[in-house]
Amino acid sequence: MKKIFTTLLILLSFQCRIFKPSDLDPSQDLGTLQTLLRYLALADAFNTYSQTVAFMKFADPNGTPYAGGTAEYFVFNEADENGVPVSPFGDTGNIQPYTVTLDAYGRGFLFFSERGIAKITVKNSGNADVGNASFRVYNGITKQSFFWLSQSGSTQFILEDLANYRNRLGSSNALTSLGSANGRQFLYLQVQTSYTSSTQYSSTGYIISSADGEYYDQVTKIDGVNLKVDSGYETFLKISKPMFNGSEYVFFLSEERSTYPAPGTYQSNRNLIFKIPQSFPSASEVVNLPIASNANLYRPDAFPWIYPAFYFSSRYLVSPAYSSGTQIRPTLLNENFAVTQDAVLGFSCMIADSNLGAISYQLINVGGTEYLQCQNTSSLMNSQTIQVRSLDSVGLSNRVLTFDTGGGGYTFQSPIFYVRGKLVGLLNFSPNVVGFTFPTDNYGGSSPTITKNTSPITGFSSTLASSDPLLRSVKSSSNSDFFLLSTSPTSISPNYQIYRSTDSLASASILPAIPAEYSSPISNAEQLQSANGKLNYTWSIYGPIGIGSLPVFLTRFTNDDGSWETLPRLIKIR
């Protein structure tokens, strides 16, 4: 057997064949191995639970892209030898050839849901053949292990990136960024599992996570929910930001039912808890959240989509809407999720303005004591002072703090954020909006007034329209802090700016706009996260295949200098 492996190693190293398979004695080791490999290839070819997405560029010998050209591609696998007919999405066993029209850079996304030999034919904008190539598609293929089997014609075949999905997640019809916790980024994917018609189908939800924003190495299915469209209604999930309690990642969910088609009329919901242990099981079951029956985790109009939730000194904070959805009351839950107290009277968070509700909560640590802070002023625009409620983690006592601009023509433009041990806010100083820090020395006092520091954050001065709070979120990692400003109360696009500080908020500089190529509008601030001192933006688009389109999951990172990488990267999911 040792000789057999030595022989195989030589064959693989030189990529040549010194005998025909028919020359092998089926009763000998090599013959048996060849038969087994053939069976494995056949099984692999029929494995439609895997998808591979290749981001490719095609150019002439001088490097000029074949803009407006096409790439036609298909996979020849062991199933083809059995005469299995083709169909658009492989319902018959084999998938018909797909076609992609190349963009101005000669690039396109190619989709492979079969295993075998992929063959590509490239045509220029005049529909003339200019090149052919082939490579093997197999489970587990990566950009690093990819290689071309053949190339011909006057074409450069360039692989920009490749993602191989070992399950159906590559066909998800919903990708939502949920946020970060304990150094991991989380996405929600929803995969269609049965289909009768466009008005009758079922889906399964998954939460996946990554340590770097590109490689999602943990996948957990959400069990115990029923996601479907049927008989004029649909059920779907709304999910909170992730929380980490030291051993589990926790999400608050609402399984909501509304009329279909969307946007439908709200009918009912279930308030749920979803926990993912650090062992990251393949599936986890939801449990009911024991809050008042007339309390909904989300307003019926789904604003804001990403629900503000916090883990606060062995307690959880939720802020459900009651009855008609106009009354929002913060509620503290014990570690076992039983209600500690309805904090509306003792805590008095003024978040009737839903524009502030999603961003006004902050967890603050001063002198080793953790505080939960929220807005105590229903509106903060054009005011020299604003008030917040601050609840300490020791005795749950709370008091009102006043933040003051100190006059001089400055008024508040954003709530106070907690960043890198400091308090930060945006102040109006016509015609600009300027970033300032506030001291924390007397934060723990009985009823302190905290006045901004004298000097602004150098370079942090925006001219974005300030009719709404501009500062929507802050993302930090390593020595970098990224401030996300937007004129929209419900998203980041289209009018936004991102400032970066790498010197503990002494100064900040504006980042260039995210490149438009292969991009899409930023629908929520959680699409932007930070890992290893860089910012990454996550989204999905659809790539045409000649008979429709298929989803593409992308992320784009900043470089060390704060500029954006030239090309996005495909998200990889284990």
Side-chain angles (χ1 to χ4, degrees), residues 4 18 53 80 107 117 174 186-187 241 280 300 412 469 551 571:
I4 292 175
I18 59 177
V53 181
D80 294 322
R107 299 190 183 103
I117 303 300
F186 291 84
L187 300 176
K241 296 179 182 180
F280 290 100
F412 278 95
I571 286 176

Side-chain angles (χ1 to χ4, degrees), residues 147-396:
F147 66 92
W148 294 104
L149 292 175
S150 66
Q151 295 185 38
S152 63
S154 57
T155 296
Q156 295 184 49
F157 295 86
I158 303 168
L159 178 69
E160 304 283 20
D161 203 0
L162 183 144
N164 183 70
Y165 305 112
R166 297 172 182 264
N167 42 49
R168 289 180 176 173
L169 294 182
S171 62
S172 170
N173 55 13
L175 180 147
T176 303
S177 301
L178 299 176
S180 298
N182 191 37
R184 297 192 68 87
Q185 300 181 24
F186 291 84
L187 300 176
Y188 171 69
L189 297 177
Q190 186 167 301
V191 178
Q192 194 174 96
T193 52
S194 69
Y195 181 86
T196 303
S197 69
S198 60
T199 58
Q200 188 177 14
Y201 57 87
S202 299
S203 302
T204 298
Y206 297 84
I207 290 180
I208 66 175
S209 71
S210 167
D212 62 7
E214 179 181 5
Y215 294 91
Y216 283 78
D217 57 346
Q218 302 298 337
V219 178
T220 303
K221 183 175 71 169
I222 303 174
D223 277 343
V225 294
N226 187 15
L227 309 178
K228 63 190 303 185
V229 171
D230 191 17
S231 303
Y233 76 91
E234 68 174 327
T235 53
F236 53 90
L237 293 181
K238 299 174 181 176
I239 308 175
S240 75
K241 296 179 182 180
M243 297 163 284
F244 183 66
N245 63 16
S247 61
E248 298 171 313
Y249 297 92
V250 178
F251 302 81
F252 292 126
L253 277 63
S254 174
E255 182 190 57
E256 189 165 302
R257 174 175 167 141
S258 66
T259 58
Y260 184 83
T265 302
Y266 171 86
Q267 293 181 331
S268 63
N269 87 306
R270 287 199 301 155
N271 299 313
L272 305 169
I273 305 159
F274 185 68
K275 297 183 286 186
I276 303 177
Q278 274 190 291
S279 59
F280 290 100
S282 59
S284 185
E285 185 99 9
V286 298
V287 295
N288 289 322
L289 176 61
I291 58 177
S293 60
N294 65 333
N296 299 322
L297 285 181
Y298 293 83
R299 292 173 16 156
D301 60 1
F303 183 95
W305 202 98
I306 301 298
Y307 185 81
F310 292 92
Y311 182 68
F312 166 63
S313 187
S314 299
R315 300 175 182 87
Y316 298 92
L317 172 79
V318 294
S319 55
Y322 284 76
S323 302
S324 64
T326 58
Q327 183 184 18
I328 300 175
R329 293 154 56 175
T331 302
L332 292 177
L333 309 175
N334 281 328
E335 191 82 58
N336 65 357
F337 300 101
V339 174
T340 300
Q341 65 185 97
D342 180 346
V344 67
L345 296 178
F347 199 21
S348 301
C349 289
M350 299 292 292
I351 53 173
D353 181 355
S354 55
N355 186 20
L356 293 176
I359 60 176
S360 67
Y361 286 106
Q362 296 288 319
L363 288 181
I364 294 173
N365 193 306
V366 177
T369 300
E370 194 171 34
Y371 299 88
L372 178 65
Q373 177 179 293
C374 72
Q375 204 68 29
N376 195 48
T377 306
S378 59
S379 177
L380 53 78
M381 302 302 299
N382 302 316
S383 174
Q384 181 180 320
T385 62
I386 59 172
Q387 290 186 335
V388 301
R389 282 275 175 178
S390 183
L391 184 72
D392 76 79
S393 60
V394 180
L396 296 183

Side-chain angles (χ1 to χ4, degrees), residues 439-471:
T440 60
D441 299 346
N442 60 340
Y443 185 94
S446 58
S447 56
T449 295
I450 301 175
T451 304
K452 69 173 177 61
N453 287 317
T454 303
S455 300
I457 300 172
T458 302
F460 200 157
S461 181
S462 172
T463 56
L464 282 179
S466 57
S467 58
D468 289 305
L470 285 177
L471 184 55

